[in-house]
Amino acid sequence: MHRGQIHLRYLLIWLPFAYCTTTDLPMCEESDYHFEYTECDALQARWRVAVPNKADICTGLPNPVKGTQCTFSCSEGEFLDMQSQQCKKCAPGTFSLGTGVAFDEWDSLPSGFVTHGVTTNSRDDKTDCSNSTWITKGDYVASNTDECTATLSYAVSLKKPGTVTFEYFYPDNSIYFEFFIQNDQCQSTDSESRWMKISDSDFSKYTVELNSGNNVLYWRSTAYALQGSAVKPVQLRNIAISGVAYTSECFHCKPGTHSAKAGSARCAACPAGSFSNKGATVCHQCEQDKYAEPGSGSCKPRPACTNSDYFYTHTPCDSEGKTQLMYKWIEPKICNETFDGAVDLPASGEKQTCPPCNPGFFVTNSSTCEPCNKGFYSNGTACTECPVGTEPVEGLEYKWWNTMPSHMKSSIFDREFSDSEQSTAWEVAGEYVYTTPGDQDSDYLTLMLNVPGYRLPPSMTKDSERSELSRITFVFETRCTADCKLYFLAGYSRWNNEVVEQWKGSNGKQSYSYLIQSNSTTSFTWTFQRTEELNDERKYSSDSAKIFSIHITNVIGGVASQCRRCALNSASSADAGSADAGSADAGSADAGSACVPCPPGHYMVSGTGVCKSCPPNTFIRADHSVGEAACIQCGPNTQRNKAHTACLSDCTLDVKTGGGVLLHYDFSPLSNVTAFHSSPRFTSKGLRYFHSFNLALCGKEGRVPATCVDNVTESGREVKGYICHSTVVPSEIRSQSVVSTQPFIIGDSLIGVTTKTKVSRISSSKWLFPSASSLPDVIFYYKSSETTQACKEGRSATIRLRCNPTVTAEDHIMLPSNCSEGTCDGCSFNLLWESQHACPLCTKEHYRAIVSACTQGIQRTTYVWQQPLQCYGGESLPAQKVSACVSLDFWLKFGVSTGTIAAMLLISISCYFWKKTRKLQFKYSKLMMSSEGKECELPTADSCAIMEGDDAEDDLMDLTKKSFFTKIRSFSRERTSDGFDSVPLKSSSRYLRDDEDSDEA
């Protein structure tokens, strides 16, 4: 059964019962109840029922009656009178959208809207976000500015498809702002279409189609105030929803607006100098001594005029070529010069000669400035055709400000009175353009420059990869007594600009340059705000910003301030023997064809158009291709690419240590893009965030660069290079698990690869990452060409690779302990990457052999790494070797046997020679004894020698019967005093005894 039918039956059953039980209550009057329709049934029918405004205050409600068809609706300017169920026109002073509702008053949160705040990190229960909600501000509702998530929602039921339209001001990309819709099935809109575009200086209008049925609208914001700076809230106003079948009442015009006739679909704002109250039909003029801004609900007293109420400008050049300094009141004029102490408008100055036209323009007969024709150039006075062999350098250059250029427009945006009639925020002043006083000091004073696009010169088109697309350079200064700010924004439309750089307080005259890398970046905006304080008085009108010059290169439809010599083709350059010859050849080459660029690796000789080769291993600067200074030497251990536009590393390196050892490195496993997050950081409210780095260490031609994106805003801005940085916040409010914001490039060019701690003014101090290893770290040096106010020379980065064979993960990257964000000054970044792939390749020097003992005739040789191990990859350990051998017991036996034999042989030889010696001693003794009887005669040979054939018995000694050792002892004791040995012999002893016996006889 249909829900509407159940509701109706319930009412029919309940009403008689209520009537019977409340007979003591008074009868209901029309002011005590209102009518509503039941839900449509299957036949597209419904009933009108009376609903009491308060329960139990009266009785006798009208009976339900059949209502209009569900397809019924009212037109704009009409409302449905539920009493008669007919559409009627709204009365004067009110308005109606017919099939819609509108909300343009935000003194309090309108009925049906709900707002609440929750913590961004669902795991953090300590953060109190109950007060982080959308806050009504009268004309608009503002978002929160802290790290909580604030949601504003509104539920509406549509009888037919409709739309929701609202205006928003979204000036700060530190806030994530999304709008989405949930339908009956709780399905949300696509996450890609949720993103809101950044506003530059004014409210943006946004419209989304709605399906029939129930729709819940959500506006959700989360601030990421990570750097401690103030965040500007999102402002929301003028919400209108169409597709409802009807509106049962008309809305009163808000103060400052009116509707003069019945049936109005909207209210018109009161002009300046008038006001109106709520529901007004006409606007009332302010009194003579009072004023009112457009859309004011009341008038204010006029103050006395001061110097802050007028500005100065230059009149356009007249037919005589004269200009005049003039003073004008700021419109709308709110001051009164008749009051005591008021200042009068200064008199105009004398006529002076107009300044010259801007480069690329010429002065016409009417003293106006017109652009030169294509192929011509000028310095601001007259156009001159480019000579043969040259091409015009086209762009836009503004250095004289007699009138506002056609490409530029200034406007003022006031957060409180955004419909201000004042349209001039920047005014020309001859040598510069400056900011005029605004209605309030908190106004945004914007100067916008739009260009159609960019195109490289003909001679650089064929080599567009190495050529700079475009660059914008401007000279400015700020003079402030308050906390003023100057913003520079770039984007592809007025409604999608992002802040590139900002300057606070007073800044002396200086130049800023921004490299344009995309042909879609065609809008540039300078926005100046004196203070963020809301104050009706003009306290800081003297604070101002000045822009002296603006120069953009390679602009489509631009003008030329100079001509550049074309490069010759190979045939012409071969014949160019001198400067004059080169010019002549250039003319012939240019006569039949367009300019020809120099070949890769060549530069143009100044003033000749002749191409000359750069020295080996050098590349050509992208912003300069003339003169030998264009050739830049590649850094250590890098090689130039094929286009001669940059230096690359093939991820290999050879390093010779102090000991003469050559180390070979191969970083190819680390060449893929690697992401690294710092340890978590926390804001004052406990929001957790990380510093994210994407690295592309090295690689040859066609390598994949590291990319960092901004997925907070609709633009999805991304940066690419060797190293980029972004801030990552874990998020629970979107389909992605994290929010990435504030991306910027750290290194887009490789400077060198070496073990030295300083290359080209970029250093990587050892104290940042102390090491106890004797193996040197390999350091990659990078540089970014992107300059900022804080980093005037651009950012730089070093990645120190340290050998650690125990690290298996490839992304073991660390930041310096004393610079937890990777940088100590915001410009120089240092990272340490420990990996086994950062070790040198293993060689034979990194292992040694261990030989085992010979066991059972087998000997094994095993190879092991030298410790500590300081290599990876390269040569592998050789397999174990097995060889035959002779065991130790064999050699022991062999040695013992050999020793025994040798000892016996030695003893035998000793005995032999000992005996031989004894015989000689005996013969000598015998000879001596035979010579004793003949003192004066020498013994004859016959008596002194033992003749051959003598009896051997005579040679035996008396000691033959003694032991061997006894004989030796006696031999040693029988040495005479004269040094001769006395050896007793058998024969002599017997002879002596015979003599003694004969004497006795």
Side-chain angles (χ1 to χ4, degrees):
M1 185 179 294
H2 194 271
R3 186 171 59 180
Q5 294 175 327
I6 298 175
H7 187 203
L8 180 58
R9 287 190 178 186
Y10 173 76
L11 288 175
L12 294 176
I13 295 173
W14 175 79
L15 287 175
F17 176 78
Y19 178 79
C20 295
T21 57
T22 59
T23 54
D24 55 338
L25 296 177
M27 296 297 293
C28 290
E29 299 179 0
E30 290 186 5
S31 60
D32 296 328
Y33 62 87
H34 65 277
F35 291 107
E36 289 185 5
Y37 280 126
T38 62
E39 296 286 345
C40 294
D41 57 20
L43 301 176
Q44 293 298 306
R46 56 188 174 187
W47 292 79
R48 188 197 72 177
V49 296
V51 179
N53 295 329
K54 292 184 179 180
D56 301 332
I57 60 172
C58 65
T59 186
L61 292 173
N63 293 328
V65 298
K66 190 172 183 179
T68 60
Q69 291 293 320
C70 290
T71 57
F72 172 84
S73 63
C74 293
S75 302
E76 288 185 347
E78 296 180 342
F79 74 101
L80 178 63
D81 181 13
M82 295 293 290
Q83 185 71 33
S84 62
Q85 299 194 63
Q86 297 294 326
C87 293
K88 294 184 179 181
K89 290 186 176 181
C90 292
T94 63
F95 73 99
S96 167
L97 299 177
T99 59
V101 292
F103 306 94
D104 54 7
E105 290 186 72
W106 299 93
D107 295 324
S108 61
L109 205 61
S111 176
F113 280 88
V114 178
T115 180
H116 65 278
V118 296
T119 178
T120 303
N121 191 349
S122 60
R123 291 171 290 181
D124 186 4
D125 300 329
K126 298 180 181 180
T127 303
D128 183 13
C129 293
S130 58
N131 294 326
S132 299
T133 59
W134 288 74
I135 303 172
T136 56
K137 296 287 188 178
D139 290 335
Y140 59 89
V141 58
S143 70
N144 64 319
T145 57
D146 54 21
E147 296 88 9
C148 297
T149 299
T151 303
L152 178 69
S153 61
Y154 181 76
V156 62
S157 179
L158 302 185
K159 305 304 179 184
K160 60 181 180 180
T163 60
V164 55
T165 302
F166 58 89
E167 296 178 1
Y168 71 93
F169 180 53
Y170 180 17
D172 199 331
N173 60 3
S174 295
I175 293 182
Y176 170 70
F177 176 46
E178 63 176 342
F179 170 73
F180 62 96
I181 306 164
Q182 284 187 342
N183 55 20
D184 287 331
Q185 289 77 35
C186 293
Q187 295 175 337
S188 300
T189 52
D190 185 15
S191 60
E192 295 294 330
S193 62
R194 295 183 178 191
W195 299 353
M196 295 290 102
K197 298 178 181 179
I198 290 289
S199 306
D200 54 353
S201 60
D202 204 348
F203 274 90
S204 304
K205 194 172 184 179
Y206 191 74
T207 302
V208 178
E209 295 183 355
L210 301 177
N211 297 325
S212 59
N214 294 324
N215 292 271
V216 183
L217 314 179
Y218 292 94
W219 294 267
R220 191 154 59 182
S221 65
T222 304
Y224 301 104
L226 306 180
Q227 306 300 329
S229 58
V231 178
K232 298 180 179 63
V234 177
Q235 300 174 16
L236 192 65
R237 70 178 187 183
N238 295 342
I239 300 175
I241 304 171
S242 66
V244 297
Y246 60 88
T247 176
S248 58
E249 62 178 347
C250 295
F251 301 95
H252 291 283
C253 293
K254 67 178 182 178
T257 63
H258 71 287
S259 62
K261 59 182 181 179
S264 297
R266 59 191 56 84
C267 298
C270 292
S274 63
F275 73 99
S276 68
N277 298 319
K278 185 176 182 179
T281 58
V282 294
C283 295
H284 304 284
Q285 290 295 322
C286 293
E287 298 177 4
Q288 188 67 24
D289 59 345
K290 293 184 178 181
Y291 75 98
E293 293 90 355
S296 297
S298 62
C299 296
K300 303 175 184 178
R302 290 182 181 272
C305 291
T306 65
N307 294 332
S308 300
D309 292 310
Y310 63 84
F311 64 95
Y312 60 93
T313 183
H314 282 259
T315 61
C317 291
D318 56 19
S319 58
E320 299 177 354
K322 300 292 185 179
T323 183
Q324 188 178 21
L325 181 67
M326 289 186 63
Y327 295 88
K328 295 181 179 180
W329 294 112
I330 296 174
E331 297 295 339
K333 182 183 176 183
I334 64 174
C335 67
N336 192 331
E337 67 269 27
T338 62
F339 289 172
D340 292 339
V343 299
D344 295 327
L345 190 68
S348 299
E350 297 181 357
K351 287 190 175 183
Q352 298 177 349
T353 303
C354 288
C357 296
N358 282 310
F361 290 80
F362 69 98
V363 182
T364 64
N365 294 332
S366 59
S367 298
T368 59
C369 294
E370 295 291 337
C372 295
N373 294 329
K374 188 174 181 61
F376 288 76
Y377 73 100
S378 83
N379 59 358
T381 54
C383 296
T384 305
E385 187 175 6
C386 289
V388 176
T390 64
E391 60 182 351
V393 182
E394 296 182 347
L396 292 176
E397 184 174 2
Y398 303 113
K399 54 192 297 187
W400 300 107
W401 304 90
N402 188 252
T403 58
M404 189 65 71
S406 59
H407 292 83
M408 303 184 72
K409 179 183 177 181
S410 70
S411 60
I412 184 171
F413 170 70
D414 190 323
R415 288 183 294 175
E416 295 297 308
F417 305 101
S418 59
D419 296 325
S420 174
E421 290 183 355
Q422 181 176 346
S423 59
T424 302
W426 294 70
E427 190 60 54
V428 295
E431 296 182 352
Y432 55 85
V433 58
Y434 76 103
T435 53
T436 62
D439 290 336
Q440 294 184 359
D441 290 337
S442 59
D443 293 346
Y444 291 96
L445 309 177
T446 64
L447 179 66
M448 178 170 289
L449 169 63
N450 290 310
V451 296
Y454 313 96
R455 180 174 53 217
L456 292 172
S459 65
M460 302 175 67
T461 304
K462 295 181 180 180
D463 199 15
S464 58
E465 291 185 0
R466 73 182 182 92
S467 302
E468 182 178 281
L469 178 62
S470 181
R471 181 183 293 270
I472 180 171
T473 305
F474 58 92
V475 179
F476 72 99
E477 73 173 6
T478 57
R479 289 288 181 265
C480 302
T481 57
D483 54 342
C484 69
K485 292 181 181 179
L486 176 64
Y487 302 90
F488 173 63
L489 304 92
Y492 56 82
S493 71
R494 176 185 179 187
W495 309 114
N496 198 322
N497 277 345
E498 293 187 357
V499 176
V500 174
E501 189 60 84
Q502 60 176 309
W503 297 267
K504 298 179 181 180
S506 296
N507 293 273
K509 191 175 181 180
Q510 58 185 278
S511 176
Y512 179 80
S513 181
Y514 174 69
L515 181 64
I516 303 169
Q517 299 178 334
S518 172
N519 214 353
S520 61
T521 306
T522 58
S523 177
F524 305 96
T525 303
W526 293 264
T527 300
F528 181 72
Q529 185 186 34
R530 291 181 170 89
T531 181
E532 295 182 353
E533 299 178 4
L534 295 176
N535 198 318
D536 293 338
E537 299 180 3
R538 297 173 180 169
K539 298 171 56 178
Y540 308 110
S541 295
S542 59
D543 295 357
S544 65
K546 295 179 181 180
I547 295 179
F548 296 90
S549 65
I550 301 175
H551 184 207
I552 311 179
T553 62
N554 303 334
V555 177
I556 296 177
V559 293
S561 60
Q562 60 179 334
C563 294
R564 172 171 46 202
R565 174 73 62 174
C566 293
L568 298 177
N569 57 25
S570 57
S572 300
S573 61
D575 299 332
S578 64
D580 295 336
S583 299
D585 290 341
S588 61
D590 191 74
S593 63
C595 294
V596 180
C598 285
H602 291 67
Y603 65 92
M604 186 187 305
V605 180
S606 301
T608 65
V610 177
C611 295
K612 188 175 181 180
S613 176
C614 282
N617 205 30
T618 60
F619 67 98
I620 303 293
R621 290 174 53 187
D623 59 344
H624 192 13
S625 60
V626 178
E628 192 172 359
C631 304
I632 306 300
Q633 184 68 39
C634 286
N637 300 302
T638 61
Q639 302 81 35
R640 67 183 177 192
N641 59 359
K642 295 179 180 178
H644 296 73
T645 58
C647 296
L648 305 176
S649 168
D650 60 357
C651 301
T652 62
L653 179 68
D654 291 338
V655 175
K656 194 170 185 179
T657 63
V661 179
L662 186 62
L663 303 177
H664 304 278
Y665 291 86
D666 185 3
F667 306 116
S668 299
L670 306 178
S671 62
N672 296 329
V673 177
T674 303
F676 162 66
H677 289 174
S678 69
S679 56
R681 308 290 192 272
F682 296 91
T683 63
S684 57
K685 256 204 167 180
L687 175 65
R688 185 173 55 146
Y689 67 96
F690 302 86
H691 291 288
S692 176
F693 297 86
N694 279 0
L695 316 176
L697 186 69
C698 54
K700 298 181 180 179
E701 308 278 349
R703 64 180 182 84
V704 178
T707 304
C708 296
V709 300
D710 178 6
N711 62 4
V712 172
T713 59
E714 183 271 344
S715 63
R717 186 174 70 94
E718 63 179 24
V719 295
K720 295 183 179 181
Y722 280 99
I723 310 177
C724 60
H725 173 278
S726 61
T727 303
V728 172
V729 181
S731 174
E732 307 289 342
I733 64 174
R734 58 188 303 169
S735 57
Q736 289 93 338
S737 59
V738 295
V739 171
S740 176
T741 182
Q742 301 173 359
F744 59 85
I745 198 73
I746 299 177
D748 54 17
S749 59
L750 179 62
I751 303 301
V753 183
T754 179
T755 57
K756 297 181 180 179
T757 58
K758 189 173 183 179
V759 173
S760 184
R761 295 191 299 178
I762 305 174
S763 61
S764 175
S765 302
K766 293 182 179 180
W767 58 266
L768 291 171
F769 303 103
S771 174
S773 174
S774 59
L775 194 66
D777 296 334
V778 177
I779 308 172
F780 281 72
Y781 291 85
Y782 303 94
K783 181 74 175 176
S784 171
S785 58
E786 223 176 59
T787 60
T788 63
Q789 175 67 12
C791 307
K792 297 183 183 298
E793 297 183 358
R795 297 184 178 93
S796 63
T798 63
I799 300 180
R800 182 180 285 263
L801 298 183
R802 179 167 295 172
C803 172
N804 191 343
T806 62
V807 177
T808 57
E810 295 183 358
D811 56 350
H812 190 68
I813 305 174
M814 293 177 289
L815 301 175
S817 58
N818 53 346
C819 301
S820 58
E821 296 181 0
T823 176
C824 298
D825 56 7
C827 301
S828 302
F829 291 77
N830 296 275
L831 291 85
L832 173 65
W833 194 344
E834 286 190 346
S835 173
Q836 56 189 5
H837 300 294
C839 299
L841 299 178
C842 294
T843 63
K844 295 180 180 180
E845 303 295 330
H846 291 95
Y847 62 81
R848 60 188 178 90
I850 298 178
V851 182
S852 66
C854 184
T855 305
Q856 297 180 352
I858 296 176
Q859 189 175 52
R860 290 177 172 84
T861 303
T862 305
Y863 297 91
V864 296
W865 296 112
Q866 299 278 7
Q867 295 299 326
L869 181 61
Q870 292 183 329
C871 69
Y872 183 81
E875 290 193 13
S876 302
L877 282 176
Q880 188 183 61
K881 293 182 180 180
V882 179
S883 58
C885 63
V886 180
S887 59
L888 180 63
D889 55 351
F890 169 80
W891 288 109
L892 181 61
K893 293 178 181 178
F894 177 78
V896 172
S897 302
T898 303
T900 303
I901 295 173
M904 294 178 64
L905 182 61
L906 182 60
I907 293 173
S908 301
I909 294 173
S910 299
C911 293
Y912 170 77
F913 281 103
W914 180 79
K915 289 184 177 182
K916 195 74 172 174
T917 303
R918 294 290 294 175
K919 287 183 179 181
L920 292 175
Q921 289 177 346
F922 171 74
K923 291 180 179 180
Y924 180 75
S925 301
K926 186 176 180 181
L927 179 61
M928 291 298 296
M929 287 189 304
S930 61
S931 61
E932 288 180 357
K934 300 176 181 180
E935 296 180 357
C936 297
E937 295 180 2
L938 292 174
T940 62
D942 294 337
S943 60
C944 293
I946 297 177
M947 300 301 294
E948 190 176 351
D950 288 344
D951 191 4
E953 295 292 332
D954 296 336
D955 296 334
L956 296 177
M957 295 182 300
D958 191 47
L959 298 175
T960 53
K961 295 181 179 181
K962 296 181 180 179
S963 65
F964 178 76
F965 292 102
T966 304
K967 292 178 180 180
I968 292 176
R969 287 196 301 268
S970 61
F971 175 75
S972 61
R973 288 194 301 265
E974 291 176 357
R975 183 175 296 270
T976 60
S977 59
D978 57 359
F980 292 98
D981 292 335
S982 177
V983 180
L985 299 176
K986 290 183 178 180
S987 57
S988 60
S989 298
R990 189 171 51 248
Y991 176 75
L992 291 174
R993 286 194 302 267
D994 292 340
D995 290 341
E996 291 177 355
D997 292 339
S998 62
D999 292 334
E1000 289 178 355

